[in-house]
Amino acid sequence: MEDLKDKYCYKIYARNAYVGIWIERKKSFMISRYKVGPHSYLFEEYHWDTGPPLGTVKPLMLIEKCPFQIKETTDYNEVDKKILLNYLERLEESNPIVKGFNSFKNRRSSAINFEKRLSKGHNDMIKTRKE
């Protein structure tokens, strides 16, 4: 962790993203995370060396200095959130972890499909109750 540069972007191997901004003070990477549906949100995942169960990120390669101001808290207004999310997502697309594989597009699609499966299950449950 001591070799990483604060507020620089890295190609990472993590549970929820493949690009992140190193936040030295928190020993974490700021990422664009998708969970359910088409909208991402800012999230922090901790460096592998912080240990289980939180340490999930292995930094692989330095990309560049983040061109935006990174706050001490994750309390960003909606415009700043959108700017950071777009930046992280474009950075992931242009720095693939595997050549030819768009991990950003894949993560987003998976979250959208998950939302559809949840919705279908919910609709099937309502239909069953009515019968």
Side-chain angles (χ1 to χ4, degrees):
M1 286 189 280
E2 61 275 355
D3 293 334
L4 298 174
K5 296 181 178 185
D6 191 33
K7 297 178 182 73
Y8 274 70
C9 302
Y10 287 84
K11 192 182 290 192
I12 61 175
Y13 184 74
R15 283 188 318 188
N16 299 302
Y18 296 98
V19 165
I21 302 168
W22 175 241
I23 312 297
E24 184 176 47
R25 180 179 74 73
K26 295 183 178 183
K27 295 182 171 68
S28 67
F29 288 86
M30 179 187 294
I31 65 168
S32 166
R33 182 172 183 189
Y34 283 88
K35 202 168 187 176
V36 178
H39 304 290
S40 60
Y41 58 98
L42 291 175
F43 187 75
E44 292 180 18
E45 280 201 45
Y46 294 92
H47 192 286
W48 181 263
D49 290 344
T50 61
L54 300 178
T56 60
V57 180
K58 292 183 181 183
L60 302 175
M61 187 178 86
L62 175 70
I63 298 172
E64 66 185 26
K65 181 168 178 46
C66 179
F68 305 105
Q69 180 183 2
I70 303 300
K71 296 181 180 182
E72 293 298 314
T73 68
T74 54
D75 186 28
Y76 290 92
N77 65 44
E78 290 305 311
V79 171
D80 289 340
K81 280 182 197 176
K82 187 74 172 162
I83 289 169
L84 280 169
L85 289 167
N86 284 336
Y87 171 70
L88 285 165
E89 292 165 1
R90 296 298 91 41
L91 201 60
E92 185 172 334
E93 282 188 307
S94 61
N95 292 277
I97 195 156
V98 175
K99 188 177 179 178
F101 177 67
N102 189 330
S103 56
F104 159 69
K105 190 174 181 180
N106 183 266
R107 291 186 310 109
R108 188 172 186 275
S109 278
S110 293
I112 290 168
N113 289 336
F114 184 53
E115 181 180 52
K116 287 177 184 174
R117 286 192 310 274
L118 288 176
S119 178
K120 182 182 181 322
H122 177 73
N123 290 339
D124 289 347
M125 198 166 62
I126 290 171
K127 183 179 172 186
T128 303
R129 284 184 183 167
K130 288 181 180 178
E131 294 173 351

